[in-house]
């Protein structure tokens, strides 16, 4: 059973309950006071697509770390005439995100496909700012990121209650971890976003193998198959 939504059909809006405020708006004190907020980094620079500056409504970022790939943008950012600035989460705020030894890779949507940058930048240290001038190629959309199986959705207890921010989500093939992320509730995003790698990144993360999921270390009720593609909403349930 899913949780009930907020009843907005009231005469006095001051009497609304606060369930609609589970996701603090970026830039507010509430959003900036969550665990790990001070560790976010800012990346800025110039981008080209097939050799020319471009405009895009959406720019995101993933973190490469110990063979795994994790979506880690704080919010999606625009690209204007090739210029951008984006905030990326650290590991304290998003499991699998930035830490020493990790790399940041950018992604965007252009020409009806998702494209990853061919260049990466080393995690500059928690709370730092760095620059990355990067290129995208419509003929080589994966750039510096291997193909992944991508999942996103909500995480529920069996009674329908949503799991809180910071809940850790892991994907496994057998006993091998192939993906890691956590529940987030910031801005207009609520839930988890998880990328699962294949054997080109972690040898035992076989394609076509059964994927199991762990929620804060406990086996989730759902399973699926490790195939490199996007998936419709894939909700997970605590046992």
């Amino acid at each position: 059973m899913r949780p009930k939504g907020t009843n907005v059909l009231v005469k006095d809006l001051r009497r609304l309950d606060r369930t609609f405020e589970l996701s603090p708006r970026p830039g507010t004190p509430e959003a900036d006071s969550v665990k790990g907020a001070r560790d976010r980094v800012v990346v800025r620079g110039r981008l080209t697509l097939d050799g020319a500056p471009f405009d895009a409504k959406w720019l995101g970022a993933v973190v490469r770390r110990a063979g795994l790939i994790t979506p880690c943008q704080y919010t999606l950012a625009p690209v204007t005439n090739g210029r951008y600035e984006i905030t990326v989460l650290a590991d304290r705020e998003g499991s699998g995100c930035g830490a020493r030894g990790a790399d940041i890779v950018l992604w965007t949507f252009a020409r009806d496909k998702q494209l990853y940058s061919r260049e990466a930048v080393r995690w500059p240290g928690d709370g730092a700012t760095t620059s990355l001038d990067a290129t995208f190629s419509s003929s080589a959309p994966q750039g510096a990121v291997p193909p992944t199986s991508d999942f996103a959705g909500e995480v529920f207890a069996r009674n329908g209650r949503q799991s809180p921010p910071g809940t850790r989500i892991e994907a496994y093939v057998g006993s091998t971890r192939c993906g890691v992320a956590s529940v987030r509730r910031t801005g207009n995003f609520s839930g988890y976003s998880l990328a699962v790698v294949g054997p080109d990144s972690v040898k035992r993360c076989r394609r076509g193998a059964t994927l199991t999921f762990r929620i804060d270390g406990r086996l989730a009720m759902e399973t699926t198959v490790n195939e490199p593609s996007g998936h419709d909403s894939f909700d997970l349930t605590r046992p």
Side-chain angles (χ1 to χ4, degrees), residues 74-86:
Y74 176 50
T75 59
L76 295 171
V79 181
T80 303
N81 193 30
R83 295 180 178 272
Y84 77 95
E85 179 177 294
I86 191 168

Side-chain angles (χ1 to χ4, degrees), residues 19 25-26 49 55 58 74 88 123 141 148 154 157 174 186 193 227:
T19 58
R25 183 175 299 177
L49 170 58
D55 295 334
W58 308 121
Y74 176 50
V88 184
W123 183 258
T148 57
E154 273 288 4
T186 304
S193 181
E227 293 292 351

